């Protein structure tokens, strides 16, 4: 549909807010937390995020509630239009990430409790409102997604420490972290037509699987954490720390993006040779035997790179 933007402030605010529930945000914020803030906080967010997203995506394809009709609604996004509506996984992810970050940090860092609570609420609310503004969800979809995330957080919180301990110490962690997500991806609910939900779910579970194996490996062979005194440029202390943070982030993101591009090309090339299809054939890439290994291997490599390779590179560069 054609539309006219009458208020550019709301338009860009909610378009930006919608991006906070997509891959570009996950692939930057979650690694940033791991590289610059706290490993334990990052581990908890990634585990909660993967569980919440899997349940949300599967719920969509089981309930099969349609998205808002267009017209009368004007839809500003088209890729996710093939998915069902209830619950909003944008709302679920935003609620899960913001409040798990708040809960995981409130007892470890000194900041006003009210400030953290308001920040988490504003972040999740902006993402939820963006789904209404872009015409992708109903109010019920958004409220349902936020409530499901809240319930899952309450159920997971009491076992956070136990899950974290098992992920770091159990000898079965690498095997379980790979096998269980793969089984879930290959047994994803079947639909009468293609929907990107299975591919998106495989992306999330693959990234979490690679990161989890990285967590376990780092605990077996610990790498010294970064320290601020290893990166001095003669600036004031705050400026020096900021430069170190930005350097770690940009180096890490560059390596992660290169890993993603390289693995996409390699895995698609191998699968294309195995199943006799050209890489540019979109329909072939949507087949179960291609989509699941392609996305799982690619993004598990991304998760492993972000948690193991990038920290080693940071250490090598003295960041």
């Amino acid at each position: 549909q054609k539309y006219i933007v009458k208020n550019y402030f709301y338009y860009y605010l909610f378009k930006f807010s919608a991006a906070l529930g997509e891959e570009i945000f996950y692939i930057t914020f979650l690694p940033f937390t791991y590289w610059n803030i706290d490993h334990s906080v990052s581990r908890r967010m990634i585990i909660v995020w993967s569980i919440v997203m899997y349940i949300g995506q599967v719920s969509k394809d089981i309930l099969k509630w349609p998205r808002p009709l267009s017209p009368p609604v004007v839809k500003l996004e088209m890729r996710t239009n093939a998915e069902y509506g209830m619950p909003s996984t944008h709302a679920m992810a935003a609620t899960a990430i913001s409040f798990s970050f708040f809960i995981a940090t409130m007892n470890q860092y000194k900041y006003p409790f009210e400030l953290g609570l308001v920040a988490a609420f504003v972040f999740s609310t902006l993402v939820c409102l963006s789904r209404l503004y872009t015409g992708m969800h109903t109010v019920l979809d958004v409220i349902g997604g936020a409530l499901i995330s809240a319930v899952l957080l309450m159920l997971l919180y009491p076992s956070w420490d136990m899950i974290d301990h098992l992920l770091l110490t159990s000898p079965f962690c690498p095997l379980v972290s790979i096998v269980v997500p793969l089984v879930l991806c290959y047994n994803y609910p079947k639909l009468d037509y293609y929907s990107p939900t299975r591919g998106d779910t495989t992306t999330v579970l693959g990234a979490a699987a690679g990161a989890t194996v990285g967590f376990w490996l780092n605990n077996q062979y610990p790498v010294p954490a970064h320290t601020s005194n290893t990166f001095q440029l003669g600036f004031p202390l705050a400026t020096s720390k900021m430069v170190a943070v930005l350097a770690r982030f940009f180096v890490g993101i560059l390596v992660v993006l290169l890993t993603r591009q390289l693995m996409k090309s390699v895995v698609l090339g191998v699968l294309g040779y195995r199943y006799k299809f050209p890489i540019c054939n979109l329909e072939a890439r949507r087949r179960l035997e291609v989509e699941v290994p392609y996305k799982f291997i690619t993004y598990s490599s991304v998760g492993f790179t972000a948690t193991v390779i990038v920290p080693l590179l940071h250490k090598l560069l003295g960041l």
Side-chain angles (χ1 to χ4, degrees):
Q1 288 180 277
K2 294 182 178 179
Y3 57 87
I4 298 174
V5 179
K6 295 182 177 179
N7 191 313
Y8 280 96
F9 173 76
Y10 289 138
Y11 178 78
Y12 288 113
L13 172 65
F14 291 125
K15 289 285 282 184
F16 173 77
S17 300
L20 298 178
E22 297 173 359
E23 181 184 347
I24 186 64
F25 174 73
Y26 304 144
I27 210 170
T28 53
F29 178 72
L30 295 177
F32 178 88
T33 305
Y34 189 78
W35 299 330
N36 292 296
I37 299 179
D38 191 293
H39 287 188
S40 65
V41 172
S42 181
R43 290 197 302 268
R44 284 161 170 76
M45 283 200 300
I46 289 173
I47 297 305
V48 170
W49 167 66
S50 59
I51 293 173
V52 164
M53 286 296 290
Y54 175 76
I55 291 174
Q57 296 285 61
V58 169
S59 298
K60 282 178 186 281
D61 292 339
I62 291 176
L63 294 174
K64 298 183 178 181
W65 286 22
R67 289 183 181 270
L69 294 176
S70 177
V73 169
V74 175
K75 295 186 177 180
L76 304 186
E77 298 176 14
M78 295 308 298
R79 179 187 176 275
T80 55
N81 197 35
E83 299 179 8
Y84 289 106
M86 171 62 101
S88 166
T89 47
H90 272 71
M92 291 183 70
T95 302
I97 288 177
S98 59
F99 281 94
S100 61
F101 181 82
F102 168 59
I103 294 169
T105 58
M106 65 181 181
N107 293 324
Q108 296 191 41
Y109 298 94
K110 293 181 179 179
Y111 62 82
F113 175 87
E114 297 79 6
L115 178 62
L117 182 62
V118 169
F121 180 78
V122 169
F123 178 91
S124 56
T125 299
L126 280 175
V127 176
C128 290
L129 291 177
S130 75
R131 308 316 289 156
L132 303 178
Y133 182 87
T134 55
M136 302 310 296
H137 286 285
T138 65
V139 173
L140 187 59
D141 295 342
V142 170
I143 293 175
L147 287 178
I148 292 172
S149 264
V151 171
L152 289 173
L153 271 174
M154 287 189 291
L155 293 175
L156 289 170
Y157 178 70
S159 57
W160 266 16
D161 292 337
M162 181 189 71
I163 294 173
D164 193 49
H165 178 73
L166 288 174
L167 289 179
L168 295 178
T169 60
S170 172
F172 302 106
C173 174
L175 180 64
V176 173
S177 298
I178 298 297
V179 172
V180 172
L182 270 176
V183 170
L184 293 176
C185 292
Y186 275 107
N187 291 276
Y188 192 83
K190 293 180 173 60
L191 297 176
D192 296 331
Y193 64 93
Y194 178 78
S195 168
T197 49
R198 184 183 66 203
D200 291 345
T201 304
T202 306
T203 295
V204 172
L205 294 184
T212 303
V213 172
F215 298 151
W216 180 86
L217 191 63
N218 287 338
N219 191 62
Q220 310 308 308
Y221 308 97
V223 177
H226 63 78
T227 56
S228 59
N229 60 3
T230 61
F231 194 80
Q232 296 293 336
L233 295 179
F235 298 112
L237 183 60
T239 305
S240 178
K241 286 185 177 180
M242 184 59 67
V243 171
V245 165
L246 292 175
R248 282 193 294 269
F249 175 71
F250 284 116
V251 168
I253 286 299
L254 177 62
V255 174
V256 164
L257 293 178
L258 288 174
T259 300
R260 184 180 66 164
Q261 189 59 44
L262 175 64
M263 294 306 298
K264 275 186 176 182
S265 301
V266 171
V267 176
L268 273 178
V270 172
L271 291 172
Y273 177 80
R274 168 67 176 82
Y275 294 107
K276 311 301 181 186
F277 68 87
I279 294 178
C280 58
N281 188 330
L282 185 59
E283 288 302 317
R285 287 163 57 175
R286 289 174 171 178
R287 287 155 41 188
L288 174 67
E289 65 271 22
V290 174
E291 183 176 59
V292 170
Y294 149 54
K295 288 188 175 289
F296 191 87
I297 294 173
T298 297
Y299 285 92
S300 60
S301 300
V302 167
F304 184 83
T305 297
T307 53
V308 177
I309 306 300
V310 171
L312 288 174
L313 182 59
H314 286 164
K315 180 187 176 186
L316 181 66
L317 296 174
L319 299 179

